[in-house]
């Protein structure tokens, strides 16, 4: 290990380039340590993390409560498979279902697996409960969605880079415009075989698109009218990121640190991942009430690692942190402050045209063409100035720091961002 610890950034990058598949295009920074809102590179330079591993590290890097839970469970029992019961899973399922007000949870590991699981449950419900004829079920999805990387999920993506040469694809999906209730109603009215509507409460990967006020609520009402399951993918928006425990929570804004989220929209199926573990471990989950979840019977679905004792311990600790530290409220308040500060700055800056988002899931729009490298170059300049962020699509930069950030730290970051943009030249 001594040799490995002395790697320079360049050496570490060279190793990944030579021995790793090139399925990402990372910013050239090699991180070796994280604590709270900070990460350090191998040369010891300290940065603010403004991506939080795509909103997995909402609770901050290496949160001691989560790390302790993980360590002590790792020393006790790590994996039994679901061939046997373990003494952690039930307690975890009770905690999570009570927190989000559902009857049952199905444990998986990654976000994509949880989305796949939700799609399978929805289809099975369609045949066994709704009475759709075999193999005829359709699921409505939105343009520019991001739900993960499996073959079925990319079947209904419209990102050419994510799809090209991966066919043949899975059938049974109808794509409509996001934030368009008329399109949704038409799809539901014209297709009696629709079983579900899969939607992100805010489209994160697409560039942090916040739908119009009332969109989710009205979409849910349409789903009820046509007996279609409303499936919310809150893998990125959930767990306090948008200033509420869930983005589908109501206006309570989770001001009370023990608020468990009065639903504005109660999804029929809720998909969670990423920050469900605080980024310490892959933990995802699908939640639904009994009339839906009961279609899943022994042998229908599973995962060797899903619901393992470490995941259960980590998941409970991660939700404890969200509650005890009031992270929803903090994200709500700091998000307002961030957008206010950026809006004040925009008239002085030629490089940004707008800031948008909810809670601490925000984006700035860069004043250049979509195929320009300006957003990337700005992220490189931010890196030099000690803040790590990454472009999403083309000329949009997402800003999603850990939710344990303080007001002083946020203002420090606003300072770095504004200074970088003022000095930036192509
Ligand atoms: C990240 C993400 C996923 C996929 O999660 P993985 O853990 O990467 O498989 C699914 N849906 C949304 C909205 C996401 O942001």
């Amino acid at each position: 290990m001594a040799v490995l610890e002395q790697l320079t950034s360049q050496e570490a990058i060279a190793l990944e380039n030579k021995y790793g598949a090139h399925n990402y295009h990372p910013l050239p920074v090699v991180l070796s340590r994280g604590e709270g809102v900070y990460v350090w590179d191998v040369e010891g330079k300290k940065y603010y993390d403004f991506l939080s591993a795509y909103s997995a590290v909402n609770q901050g890097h290496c949160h001691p409560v989560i790390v302790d839970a993980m360590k002590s469970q790792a020393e006790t029992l790590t994996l039994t498979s679901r061939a046997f019961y373990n003494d952690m899973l039930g307690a975890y399922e009770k905690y999570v279902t009570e927190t989000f007000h559902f009857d049952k949870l199905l444990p998986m590991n990654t976000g994509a697996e949880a989305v796949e699981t939700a799609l399978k449950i929805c289809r099975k419900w369609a045949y066994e409960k709704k009475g759709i004829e075999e193999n005829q079920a359709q699921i409505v999805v939105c343009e520019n969605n991001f739900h993960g990387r499996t073959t079925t999920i990319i079947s209904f993506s419209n990102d050419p880079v994510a799809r090209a040469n991966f066919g043949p694809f899975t059938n049974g999906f109808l794509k409509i415009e996001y934030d368009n209730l008329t399109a949704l109603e038409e799809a539901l009215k014209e297709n009696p075989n629709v079983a579900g509507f899969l939607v992100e409460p805010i489209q994160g990967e697409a560039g942090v698109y916040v739908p119009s006020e009332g969109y989710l609520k009205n979409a849910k009402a349409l789903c009820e009218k046509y007996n279609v399951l409303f499936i919310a993918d809150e893998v990125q928006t959930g767990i306090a990121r948008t200033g509420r425990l869930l983005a589908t929570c109501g206006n309570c804004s989770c001001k009370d640190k023990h608020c468990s989220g009065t639903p504005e929209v109660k999804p029929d199926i809720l998909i969670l991942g990423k920050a469900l573990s605080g980024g310490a471990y892959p933990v995802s989950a699908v939640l639904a009430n009994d009339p839906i979840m009961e279609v899943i019977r022994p042998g229908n679905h599973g995962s060797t690692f899903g619901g393992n004792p470490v995941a259960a311990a980590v998941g409970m600790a991660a939700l404890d942190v969200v509650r005890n530290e009031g992270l929803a409220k903090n994200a709500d308040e700091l998000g307002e402050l961030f957008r206010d500060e950026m809006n004040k700055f925009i008239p002085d800056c030629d490089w940004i045209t707008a800031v948008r988002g909810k809670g601490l899931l925000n984006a700035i729009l860069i004043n250049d063409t979509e195929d320009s490298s300006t957003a990337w170059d700005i992220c490189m300049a931010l890196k030099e100035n000690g803040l790590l962020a990454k472009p999403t699509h083309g000329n949009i930069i997402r800003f999603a720091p850990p939710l344990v950030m303080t007001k002083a730290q946020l203002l420090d970051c606003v300072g770095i961002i504004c200074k970088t943009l003022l000095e930036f030249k192509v």
Side-chain angles (χ1 to χ4, degrees):
M1 281 307 285
V3 174
L4 282 180
E5 276 163 14
Q6 286 159 25
L7 280 184
T8 64
S9 289
Q10 270 183 336
E11 287 165 338
I13 290 170
L15 280 175
E16 282 200 34
N17 276 335
K18 183 158 172 21
Y19 297 104
H22 293 184
N23 59 327
Y24 278 89
H25 179 39
L27 217 65
V29 59
V30 181
L31 302 174
S32 57
R33 189 159 75 85
E35 190 185 314
V37 299
Y38 300 113
V39 285
W40 286 263
D41 71 14
V42 294
E43 281 81 21
K45 181 170 173 173
K46 182 180 179 182
Y47 304 88
Y48 283 106
D49 179 359
F50 250 57
L51 182 64
S52 306
Y54 303 106
S55 296
V57 193
N58 289 2
Q59 295 86 337
H61 288 275
C62 299
H63 195 293
V65 169
I66 301 172
V67 171
D68 283 350
M70 183 159 75
K71 272 171 141 169
S72 83
Q73 188 59 46
E75 287 165 351
T76 312
L77 181 68
T78 57
L79 185 62
T80 59
S81 84
R82 300 286 303 279
F84 312 119
Y85 290 89
N86 72 64
D87 67 350
M88 296 299 290
L89 178 57
Y92 164 73
E93 290 170 332
K94 179 171 191 284
Y95 187 171
V96 181
T97 53
E98 284 177 1
T99 300
F100 297 102
H101 308 290
F102 285 91
D103 293 337
K104 292 219 169 26
L105 175 152
L106 197 159
M108 297 297 283
N109 312 286
T110 65
E113 284 176 316
V115 172
E116 285 276 344
T117 303
L119 297 173
K120 287 175 74 176
I121 295 170
C122 180
R123 284 177 165 184
K124 207 157 185 294
W125 172 87
Y127 303 125
E128 296 174 14
K129 299 273 182 153
K130 183 165 176 172
I132 292 177
E133 223 171 285
E134 203 184 328
N135 291 329
Q136 299 303 308
Q138 299 280 327
I139 293 175
V140 177
V141 300
C142 293
E143 277 162 19
N144 301 321
N145 67 71
F146 181 83
H147 297 287
R149 300 296 199 161
T150 64
T151 308
T152 289
I153 292 171
I154 62 163
S155 296
F156 54 82
S157 161
N158 56 292
D159 177 352
V161 181
R163 278 171 60 91
N165 293 335
F166 289 122
F169 296 114
T170 308
N171 289 323
F173 298 96
L174 296 170
K175 211 176 295 158
I176 61 166
E177 193 182 22
Y178 187 65
D179 196 19
N180 185 335
L181 290 165
T182 314
L184 177 61
E185 174 133 44
E186 264 168 35
L188 299 182
K189 203 189 306 181
E190 285 166 16
N191 302 284
N193 290 332
V194 173
F197 174 50
L198 172 65
V199 65
E200 296 159 85
I202 292 173
Q203 285 192 328
E205 293 308 300
V208 188
Y209 285 98
V210 183
S212 317
E213 193 69 37
Y215 171 64
L216 297 171
K217 203 175 195 154
N218 290 317
K220 172 72 199 308
L222 285 173
C223 289
E224 275 171 27
K225 180 172 165 193
Y226 291 94
N227 191 25
V228 158
L229 301 183
F230 182 95
I231 308 167
D233 180 347
E234 293 237 28
V235 170
Q236 186 161 157
T237 54
I239 323 293
R241 172 53 59 186
T242 67
R244 298 154 196 208
L245 190 56
L246 298 173
T248 48
C249 281
N251 276 327
C252 75
S253 295
C254 297
K255 296 285 186 205
D256 176 350
K257 69 177 180 179
H258 293 298
C259 176
S260 50
T262 314
E264 174 183 357
V265 183
K266 168 104 190 206
D268 298 300
I269 302 180
L270 172 66
I271 306 167
L272 297 174
K274 294 200 168 112
L276 186 54
S277 74
Y281 199 76
V283 182
S284 69
V286 178
L287 290 109
N289 283 340
D290 285 329
I292 295 166
M293 197 65 100
E294 71 194 11
V295 302
I296 297 296
R297 287 178 285 270
N300 289 156
H301 190 60
S303 159
T304 302
F305 281 87
N308 72 74
V310 177
V314 165
M316 286 189 277
L319 286 176
D320 280 345
V321 170
V322 171
R323 284 191 173 182
N324 295 338
E325 300 188 14
L327 295 190
K329 182 171 183 277
N330 198 46
D332 192 36
E333 291 170 359
L334 291 190
E336 290 274 330
L337 178 65
F338 180 76
R339 288 183 299 278
D340 283 351
E341 291 294 317
M342 295 313 291
N343 276 319
K344 275 192 249 166
F345 173 67
I346 286 173
D348 301 328
C349 174
D350 295 335
W351 287 115
I352 39 177
T353 55
V355 58
R356 66 174 176 230
K358 213 167 188 182
L360 281 176
L361 181 59
N362 293 291
I364 56 170
L365 277 57
I366 301 301
N367 188 16
D368 206 341
T369 55
E370 237 182 81
D371 59 352
S372 74
S373 66
T374 306
W376 173 272
D377 295 338
I378 289 171
C379 288
M380 291 292 286
L382 286 169
K383 171 180 101 72
E384 289 310 309
N385 291 333
L387 187 146
L388 297 178
K390 208 155 173 233
T392 50
H393 268 81
N395 54 1
I396 301 168
I397 301 174
R398 173 175 30 200
F399 284 138
L403 311 183
V404 292
M405 185 162 269
T406 63
K407 186 176 168 186
Q409 289 168 333
L410 186 93
L411 291 173
D412 192 21
C413 294
V414 167
I416 294 173
I417 293 165
C418 294
K419 174 178 176 287
T420 305
L421 286 163
L422 285 175
E423 290 170 1
F424 184 76
K425 288 187 186 63
V426 278

